[in-house]
Amino acid sequence: MSCIQYRVFSKLEHSFVTFDGLHITLTELKKKIMAKEHLKAPNCDLQISNADTLEDFLLHNSLIEPFKAVCQT
């Protein structure tokens, strides 16, 4: 099982999302974060960026490697 560490801008602590496989798509990562954070707005979208480079992940089919830290802004 793999995991990705993330931090929601309104919280100080980091959280983790787990998944099976060698990577997760940006779309699936957003779904998992929204479910874990109880975000239910149908027109809500998360902006996900690499915590090390601050580069935004823009393509919905982008593959994100496990054990990567990301920020939701």
Side-chain angles (χ1 to χ4, degrees):
M1 184 155 293
S2 301
C3 68
I4 290 183
Q5 180 181 356
Y6 72 93
R7 187 181 67 79
V8 178
F9 73 95
S10 61
K11 295 183 177 180
L12 296 176
E13 68 277 353
H14 288 82
S15 300
F16 292 90
V17 171
T18 59
F19 60 94
D20 293 323
L22 300 176
H23 53 268
I24 188 170
T25 65
L26 179 59
T27 301
E28 189 62 30
L29 177 61
K30 287 181 179 183
K31 287 180 187 178
K32 287 186 174 282
I33 291 173
M34 288 182 75
K36 189 163 185 177
E37 297 296 327
H38 306 290
L39 302 172
K40 297 180 182 178
N43 58 353
C44 177
D45 192 21
L46 302 177
Q47 180 180 353
I48 307 291
S49 59
N50 184 320
D52 296 328
T53 65
L54 301 179
E55 179 182 350
D56 289 338
F57 293 101
L58 301 174
L59 301 174
H60 293 290
N61 60 350
S62 296
L63 299 178
I64 302 171
E65 298 173 2
F67 311 109
K68 183 70 80 177
V70 298
C71 295
Q72 180 270 314
T73 56

